[in-house]
Amino acid sequence: MARADVGLMEKLHNLWRQSTSSERSVVVLTSILLLGITLSYLYAQSLQRRKLPPGPRPWPIVGNFPSMSGDTPHRSLFKLANKYGGLMYLRFGSVPCIVVSTAEVARELFQTHDANFSSRPRRLVWRVLHNYDDNFKVMGSAPYGPYWRNLRKFFNEEMFSPKCLAAREGIRMEEIQHMSAILLDDAQQGRVVNLKRWLWGVTSNTITRIFCNRRFYGPDQNEQDREEFEQMTAGILSALGAFVISDYIPSLSFIARLQGWEKKFESVYALSTRISEKMFEVEKHRERVLKGRESGQIDMNYVPDFVDVFLTKPLEGGKLFPDEDIILFLKHMLNAGTDTSATMVEWTMAELIRKPDIMKRAQEELDAVVGSRQFVQESDFAHLPFLEAIVKEGFRVHPPSPLPIIRESLQPCEFRGYKLPAKTLLLNNIFAIHRDPAVYEDPDEFRPERFLDRPEINHLAHFSSFELIPFGVGRRMCPGSTLGHVMVMLMLGNLLFRFQWSMPEGLKVEDIDMSEAGGLTMWMKSPLCLVATPRTPLSKP
């Protein structure tokens, strides 16, 4: 024993000998009391843990929040799930959280407790992007309740019903043709194609035409308008993907202030509001609607855009949406409709370049179905089972939002024998569910054939298919899932049918960077750049 330790022990021993018997009794009783309290606390914690799912031991104060840090939290949680199972318990500060990582657990949970886990926790970014109005109105952030149900019904009936989707089929085809002319010109000039940018142009033009009858990409479009549009969408996406520690551990709000999150979100709000007011032109839409009513002349060929719908269709009780709500809804819906579909097709094209035999088989199927026509049409989809299998596999291996917006329970509940308190957070790790070894053999392998053997797996189902859920599941499933699927099929089908794809000169398929980047959406860290060659003599549409 070191000399200093010996000296300390001697001093303590002398103090003990010099103390009175009553003083010694106090010390002993105090020690016993502290030991008892400590043991009781540890025992209570042990009993509490028995009532909760397994999970990693939390850190003091921050809990398991470090598991959410880093560029790819879905992969970090996937590794933890391999150790603790498909239902895992985490704690963010004092806030409980469960993580679902297998199809079996997802099926059990959402068939029995979906309504209870359909609300949203309060987040700083939502408060700021709603201009500090705590009555969150956007569907993605609104708490579960009567308002959210009315809003969901409105979207399903007035915007994303089969009838509404069919009415806008011509818009989708026009934008494919418009952007295909640009791609054909690049191919004929031998230019390398930045596929991400082209895909972003198609999805953006399609969505903005559906929303407000405007186009931002193409040779005849205003460059400043396009740049502002990109600034707005990029800013909102970045803000929504941010992990702010004070959202989960309010006592550490000073850290969020030091990081400047609130000021960053305020800047995004100001920019997006300014740009979206100019972009959606709500007053001009209102004037056109009123003029049409007054004149009694209705253009039967005109398909109302979403601004028109908001201005003419009430939510509940005959009351129309105020202008500020219309702008709020549309600018948040833009991101879901543009970034996710473009990201998914880019990932899928990267996989196909690496597996030319799969690409060839898809092109042979397209040739047989589309024949001498120049473009793949939506009516062809029912006759393209292999293309659909490729799309499903793309969604499985590279879900655009591998860790979607977190949910929150409304009431205490019991699940699998575990007692979960109210306001328990829920994370659906879609990345992990899509790699469930109980469902998929060689889950990391890109193998579309697996869905030809299992056509019953339907990624557009709300409650009947839990093995493939790129658009979410249950009541909180993305309302635009069918539109997203159609856009992916249309873009991918025409890219494969109209062009042969290869690597730029001097590069090999092994040079493709398959690493991820992003936040709420995970895109390719390095944009996919390829050379396009027309497969048959093509003319500009």
Side-chain angles (χ1 to χ4, degrees), residues 37-221:
I37 292 173
T38 302
L39 292 175
S40 298
Y41 173 79
L42 292 175
Y43 181 68
Q45 288 290 100
S46 176
L47 289 178
Q48 179 68 18
R49 285 295 303 178
R50 294 178 189 176
K51 299 177 183 178
L52 295 170
R57 186 175 297 277
W59 289 80
I61 302 178
V62 298
N64 300 109
F65 190 80
S67 300
M68 299 297 295
S69 61
D71 295 332
T72 55
H74 56 285
R75 291 184 179 272
S76 301
L77 293 176
F78 179 46
K79 291 179 181 178
L80 287 174
N82 288 333
K83 179 178 180 180
Y84 294 103
L87 180 66
M88 181 170 60
Y89 177 80
L90 302 178
R91 186 163 56 79
F92 301 137
S94 60
V95 180
C97 176
I98 57 172
V99 183
V100 173
S101 301
T102 64
E104 179 187 4
V105 173
R107 183 182 305 277
E108 291 182 31
L109 181 67
F110 290 108
Q111 287 183 342
T112 55
H113 297 290
D114 178 66
N116 189 35
F117 279 97
S118 285
S119 200
R120 296 289 196 206
R122 298 283 173 171
R123 294 179 60 196
L124 176 63
V125 65
W126 289 119
R127 289 195 69 237
V128 177
L129 295 185
H130 283 76
N131 199 22
Y132 295 97
D133 181 357
D134 287 335
N135 297 316
F136 293 174
K137 296 180 178 180
V138 174
M139 184 179 294
S141 62
Y144 183 70
Y147 170 80
W148 181 88
R149 287 193 292 269
N150 287 334
L151 193 63
R152 177 78 185 209
K153 180 181 178 183
F154 178 90
F155 275 59
N156 287 343
E157 293 179 354
E158 303 295 345
M159 295 180 174
F160 298 113
S161 67
K163 180 181 178 181
C164 293
L165 289 173
R168 297 180 174 92
E169 180 179 349
I171 293 176
R172 295 189 289 273
M173 196 70 242
E174 286 173 11
E175 293 312 313
I176 283 288
Q177 294 174 348
H178 170 72
M179 292 299 291
S180 290
I182 299 172
L183 191 56
L184 178 60
D185 187 58
D186 286 339
Q188 291 174 339
Q189 298 298 323
R191 290 189 288 262
V192 175
V193 176
N194 183 325
L195 203 56
K196 177 179 181 177
R197 187 158 190 80
W198 185 86
L199 292 165
W200 180 271
V202 176
T203 54
S204 298
N205 281 347
T206 303
I207 295 302
T208 54
R209 282 200 60 196
I210 290 173
F211 282 14
C212 58
N213 200 26
R214 291 191 63 184
R215 176 187 285 163
F216 289 88
Y217 288 82
D220 300 326
Q221 310 311 312

Side-chain angles (χ1 to χ4, degrees), residues 255-481:
I255 295 179
R257 286 195 297 271
L258 291 173
Q259 293 174 320
W261 282 118
E262 190 163 3
K263 290 184 178 180
K264 293 176 184 177
F265 297 155
E266 287 175 347
S267 177
V268 170
Y269 171 78
L271 176 70
S272 62
T273 300
R274 176 179 61 82
I275 295 173
S276 56
E277 285 178 352
K278 182 174 69 172
M279 173 177 152
F280 295 129
E281 298 179 320
V282 176
E283 190 57 38
K284 285 188 177 181
H285 279 74
R286 181 181 288 108
E287 291 174 0
R288 188 182 67 245
V289 170
L290 292 175
K291 185 177 180 180
R293 287 176 177 174
E294 292 172 356
S295 65
Q297 297 178 353
I298 301 176
D299 184 356
M300 301 303 295
N301 295 319
Y302 177 73
V303 179
D305 59 36
F306 279 12
V307 177
D308 295 324
V309 174
F310 278 122
L311 286 172
T312 56
K313 303 289 185 179
L315 176 62
E316 191 70 15
K319 188 175 182 180
L320 295 172
F321 292 93
D323 291 3
E324 57 268 24
D325 286 2
I326 295 174
I327 292 172
L328 184 68
F329 291 142
L330 292 175
K331 71 180 180 180
H332 284 276
M333 290 166 61
L334 272 176
N335 299 280
T338 54
D339 190 62
T340 52
S341 297
T343 296
M344 187 272 174
V345 176
E346 184 186 22
W347 279 113
T348 304
M349 285 295 293
E351 294 285 1
L352 294 176
I353 283 291
R354 298 167 63 186
K355 296 200 171 183
D357 55 325
I358 298 178
M359 181 184 290
K360 181 180 178 182
R361 180 175 173 181
Q363 289 172 327
E364 290 173 349
E365 180 186 67
L366 287 162
D367 291 342
V369 172
V370 181
S372 59
R373 286 186 282 113
Q374 286 200 38
F375 291 93
V376 181
Q377 299 174 356
E378 293 178 24
S379 58
D380 297 321
F381 293 171
H383 310 290
L384 298 169
F386 191 62
L387 179 66
E388 183 170 12
I390 290 175
V391 167
K392 286 184 176 181
E393 184 71 342
F395 275 127
R396 186 191 71 82
V397 180
H398 302 286
S401 297
L403 208 61
I405 299 174
I406 202 165
R407 299 190 185 196
E408 182 182 72
S409 66
L410 295 166
Q411 300 174 346
C413 66
E414 184 172 328
F415 179 62
R416 286 195 160 194
Y418 300 113
K419 298 185 182 298
L420 304 174
K423 293 190 176 298
T424 294
L425 302 180
L426 168 63
L427 277 169
N428 289 318
N429 192 346
I430 294 177
F431 177 87
I433 293 172
H434 287 183
R435 282 163 173 73
D436 186 348
V439 179
Y440 299 108
E441 183 181 356
D442 298 325
D444 289 324
E445 185 75 13
F446 188 84
R447 190 185 301 168
E449 294 85 353
R450 68 175 89 237
F451 289 108
L452 293 177
D453 299 331
R454 303 184 65 183
E456 74 279 2
I457 296 181
N458 181 10
H459 57 303
L460 301 178
H462 283 70
F463 289 104
S464 61
S465 187
F466 298 86
E467 301 88 350
L468 188 65
I469 53 172
F471 297 105
V473 64
R475 289 166 174 81
R476 283 284 183 176
M477 184 174 175
C478 174
S481 56

Side-chain angles (χ1 to χ4, degrees), residues 10-24:
E10 288 179 352
K11 289 179 181 179
L12 291 173
H13 182 65
N14 290 335
L15 287 172
W16 179 261
R17 290 179 60 187
Q18 294 170 8
S19 62
T20 64
S21 59
S22 60
E23 290 173 337
R24 293 176 184 176

